[in-house]
Amino acid sequence: MTPRCTCSVTAALTTLPGAPFTLARLTLDGPRDDEVLVRIVACGICQTDLAVRDSPALMPKPAVLGHEGAGIVEAIGERVTRVRPGDAVVISFSSCGRCSACLRGEPAYCAHTRSLNFGGGRPDGSTALHEAPAAAEPRPVRSHFFGQSSFATRAVVNERNLVRVTEAVDAGVALETLGPMGCGLQTGAGGVLNSLKVRPGSRLAIYGTGAVGLAATMAGAIAGAATVLAVDVQPQRLALARELGATHVVDARDPEADAQIEAALGGADGGGADFALDTSGRLDTLRGAVQRLAPRGVLGLISSAKGADVPVNALHLMVGGRGVVGIHQGDSVPQVFIPQLIAWHRAGRFPFERLLGFYDLARINDAADDLAQGRVIKPVVRMPAA
């Protein structure tokens, strides 16, 4: 299928594993019949972007990454019905819409998640990005990371990825703040509200207070948990967690950390967490989180722990009816959950803007370094006008 047009974009290109991003002028194909051309206003940076940038295997290179984009629809394909030019949109993960998980309303568990989000192109293998025509022999550049590749001034996206937020933006919500809704924020908040379904009056423990963990902290308060415990090693993040709804915070480096966690999760029934989320991926943290579950307690795993095996005591799980469950994208249907998060934000219950730090595209490597070193919670890259 031949694209209807092409345009020139400025993008942050990843070329070699571990190498910094480089700014490049690339050619972007216009949208196909089921695709949408979006002018990117801003894009959040996630730890997954850095993991894929640095990996020799997770996605082909050269590539444009970025999967927390927000922008304005500029053009639509002939079969697109969800949005129209001029709409403000948040871009989330890609799913096929046809497999059994998608048909059950569980797009986060799409059977084609790997190929659609990390394959480096469309389902037919084509890529929407190419080196600029001025190159002697223009090469393809891998596109459609999470169905979008939003570290660029424009992106071509399947309409299934889009969440229309025009009314919220018209009401005064800054579009440049909303990109992280498409991954990190919906993952943390959804882990609490959709996946674990945290109950009012329950005890919730959150291990790790990056963007995902702090979104979970705010969601714990929204859910009405009586105890929201946040555990981390960065005092400033623990202080922020307290301001965002944590009832207890513990610095994991404190020699008395274990006793403090147990005290926070204590209760007349013997204590323990009714619900827990691990966003750290640390094996010792995972094992401790399992041990601190109350009978019938459930631990949700959001970090991949780099694919490591985690030994846990089977008898402890069985006798207490405890569970461990993997969570992807907070079990979210983005078109439903992101508008709900924005509504809570407007009501003052989900002040996610306090997590954000802004950088111009020319400083994307500074943003990535600050994220990796813990100097910023959620960096957001603003795109230039052209």
Side-chain angles (χ1 to χ4, degrees):
M1 186 183 300
T2 302
R4 293 184 298 169
C5 61
T6 61
C7 61
S8 179
V9 300
T10 300
L13 189 64
T14 180
T15 56
L16 295 171
F21 296 106
T22 58
L23 296 192
R25 292 294 289 180
L26 302 174
T27 297
L28 176 69
D29 292 341
R32 294 183 174 182
D33 288 349
D34 60 351
E35 291 180 330
V36 177
L37 176 66
V38 179
R39 177 176 62 81
I40 304 298
V41 171
C43 184
I45 302 180
C46 175
Q47 293 286 359
T48 302
D49 292 304
L50 306 189
V52 173
R53 179 197 64 179
D54 296 340
S55 169
L58 286 177
M59 182 171 162
K61 298 174 178 65
V64 174
L65 305 179
H67 65 284
E68 293 183 340
I72 302 294
V73 172
E74 288 194 330
I76 62 175
E78 294 178 0
R79 293 192 284 115
V80 170
T81 60
R82 295 186 178 187
V83 295
R84 61 188 181 187
D87 277 343
V89 291
V90 169
I91 314 176
S92 193
F93 61 90
S94 188
S95 59
C96 75
R98 299 182 299 275
C99 70
S100 58
C102 286
L103 294 175
R104 289 194 306 267
E106 299 175 342
Y109 303 103
C110 174
H112 305 287
T113 290
R114 179 71 179 84
S115 60
L116 290 175
N117 293 280
F118 295 91
R122 299 182 177 94
D124 65 4
S126 65
T127 176
L129 288 165
H130 312 272
E131 290 183 330
E137 295 183 12
R139 298 174 300 169
V141 173
R142 306 314 299 178
S143 66
H144 286 76
F145 181 57
F146 276 72
Q148 54 184 286
S149 290
S150 289
F151 286 162
T153 50
R154 287 177 174 81
V156 166
V157 182
N158 188 283
E159 70 169 330
R160 282 186 56 81
N161 293 57
L162 298 176
V163 181
R164 186 175 179 273
V165 294
T166 305
E167 286 77 12
V169 172
D170 287 346
V173 178
L175 180 58
E176 67 177 12
T177 68
L178 293 179
M181 291 279 186
C183 183
L185 299 180
Q186 76 176 358
T187 295
V192 169
L193 297 166
N194 302 330
S195 309
L196 297 181
K197 295 180 172 59
V198 169
R199 300 183 300 269
S202 59
R203 296 176 295 244
L204 168 66
I206 299 165
Y207 299 93
T209 55
V212 173
L214 288 171
T217 300
M218 291 184 278
I222 290 170
T227 298
V228 180
L229 166 66
V231 182
D232 205 301
V233 297
Q234 296 196 38
Q236 68 274 23
R237 293 192 179 187
L238 292 173
L240 181 57
R242 177 81 77 173
E243 295 174 15
L244 295 177
T247 60
H248 301 73
V249 298
V250 173
D251 187 330
R253 300 170 301 177
D254 191 311
E256 301 299 321
D258 287 342
Q260 293 171 16
I261 292 171
E262 290 173 9
L265 297 175
D269 58 358
D274 302 304
F275 305 97
L277 275 179
D278 180 70
T279 72
S280 74
R282 293 178 55 90
L283 299 188
D284 56 342
T285 300
L286 290 175
R287 286 190 290 266
V290 171
Q291 287 302 118
R292 298 185 190 105
L293 288 174
R296 304 298 292 166
V298 181
L299 168 66
L301 302 182
I302 289 180
S303 174
S304 68
K306 298 183 178 179
D309 294 329
V310 183
V312 296
N313 188 286
L315 180 63
H316 179 69
L317 294 179
M318 182 191 72
V319 172
R322 299 171 176 91
V324 180
V325 61
I327 296 174
H328 185 230
Q329 293 290 339
D331 283 76
S332 301
V333 178
Q335 291 76 16
V336 175
F337 193 53
I338 288 175
Q340 178 62 74
L341 291 177
I342 294 173
W344 279 320
H345 166 67
R346 295 182 65 191
R349 303 181 68 192
F350 194 71
F352 70 91
E353 75 282 357
R354 298 191 61 187
L355 314 184
L356 309 182
F358 291 93
Y359 301 76
D360 291 337
L361 178 60
R363 295 187 59 221
I364 189 170
N365 287 308
D366 293 335
D369 289 345
D370 286 350
L371 175 62
Q373 298 301 319
R375 292 187 290 264
V376 64
I377 297 171
K378 171 57 69 173
V380 176
V381 176
R382 293 184 176 112
M383 299 300 159

